[in-house]
Amino acid sequence: DAGITQSPRYKITETGRQVTLMCHQTWSHSYMFWYRQDLGHGLRLIYYSAAADITDKGEVPDGYVVSRSKTENFPLTLESATRSQTSVYFCATDSGRARAEQYFGPGTRLTVT
Amino acid sequence: AQSVTQLDSHVSVSEGTPVLLRCNYSSSYSPSLFWYVQHPNKGLQLLLKYTSAATLVKGINGFEAEFKKSETSFHLTKPSAHMSDAAEYFCVVSLRDDKIIFGKGTRLHILP
């Protein structure tokens, strides 16, 4: 019972490259979220999804693209990576009881050189 | 405007002594409040939550928090710190429109 998984856990890429971070959950939770965590900024919401084929922007969506064709997957794509996108990215799901009662994945540490 | 403020970015306590992590919120109504913990290189884990029932909320690992409306506070406490409590702690506010606001975090250091 893995719950929520993210892959890869670590990624180094070059400026301008496209990168996709994967998130998979086994609970069938309807809501899924992508956050980035940076020193001094805490967690910032990038995108979220209320259900399959429904996505919406969060606080810092520029430079990112998401899709949700299946309930269990919520990939995050950086179309043309920039150094400012070096960060730790967390995927989370919502149990449905309350928006803030979320379950987080282990994170992906992305470095853009 | 709705907001959440964690008053200390770092807190250091000796093992076996009490822990106090402070959180204040700003809201025009009683929000739902949460504390999360993040251990190094891990995702966030829910510690406890307040959703307008009892004002004193007990969580996992001996932590508890008290909702004080008059002070707009939701401070996290533990009577006796353990080395395994060393982590970063986030206070989170959930608003009526389902918007969530994360505090900037407080890093707890436990001294031997």
Side-chain angles (χ1 to χ4, degrees):
Chain A
D1 182 8
I4 179 169
T5 56
Q6 292 183 236
S7 61
R9 293 293 314 279
Y10 302 91
K11 177 74 177 178
I12 300 174
T13 191
E14 294 177 342
T15 301
R17 298 240 184 202
Q18 183 179 80
V19 178
T20 296
L21 310 183
M22 303 302 294
C23 177
H24 175 80
Q25 56 131 337
T26 60
W27 296 307
S28 299
H29 287 170
S30 56
Y31 276 81
M32 296 186 75
F33 307 81
W34 274 108
Y35 294 92
R36 59 178 290 175
Q37 184 176 33
D38 304 287
L39 203 62
H41 290 280
L43 267 76
R44 292 182 290 176
L45 181 65
I46 305 171
Y47 269 96
Y48 67 100
S49 169
D53 298 321
I54 301 174
T55 62
D56 214 340
K57 295 178 180 179
E59 181 184 354
V60 288
D62 293 343
Y64 303 95
V65 174
V66 293
S67 61
R68 186 127 179 247
S69 56
K70 293 184 178 181
T71 299
E72 60 266 31
N73 297 323
F74 190 39
L76 176 74
T77 298
L78 289 66
E79 293 189 300
S80 178
T82 64
R83 288 198 182 89
S84 65
Q85 292 178 310
T86 292
S87 186
V88 181
Y89 291 84
F90 288 98
C91 180
T93 69
D94 183 327
S95 67
R97 288 189 289 274
R99 278 296 79 79
E101 192 171 334
Q102 296 183 3
Y103 296 85
F104 284 78
T108 294
R109 184 175 294 276
L110 175 68
T111 302
V112 183
T113 61
Chain B
Q2 327 290 353
S3 67
V4 58
T5 303
Q6 292 184 242
L7 296 159
D8 306 292
S9 58
H10 293 265
V11 169
S12 295
V13 302
S14 297
E15 190 174 20
T17 65
V19 175
L20 170 64
L21 304 183
R22 299 181 294 167
C23 173
N24 285 102
Y25 69 92
S26 170
S27 176
S28 52
Y29 47 84
S30 290
S32 295
L33 296 157
F34 302 75
W35 275 99
Y36 280 82
V37 60
Q38 183 182 27
H39 290 279
N41 300 314
K42 301 285 187 185
L44 278 71
Q45 179 187 12
L46 182 66
L47 261 185
L48 50 79
K49 61 181 178 181
Y50 166 77
T51 54
S52 75
T55 56
L56 182 63
V57 182
K58 294 189 184 299
I60 61 173
N61 301 333
F63 283 94
E64 60 183 38
E66 186 171 7
F67 172 70
K68 291 187 176 180
K69 186 175 181 179
S70 60
E71 299 176 11
T72 60
S73 70
F74 190 57
H75 301 334
L76 182 70
T77 60
K78 183 172 180 177
S80 177
H82 191 272
M83 293 300 290
S84 61
D85 294 328
E88 188 151 23
Y89 293 79
F90 293 90
C91 183
V92 178
V93 174
S94 177
L95 306 173
R96 276 188 189 159
D97 61 358
D98 284 346
K99 184 177 178 182
I100 302 166
I101 303 175
F102 282 82
K104 292 282 196 279
T106 298
R107 188 167 294 277
L108 176 63
H109 304 271
I110 310 298
L111 308 172

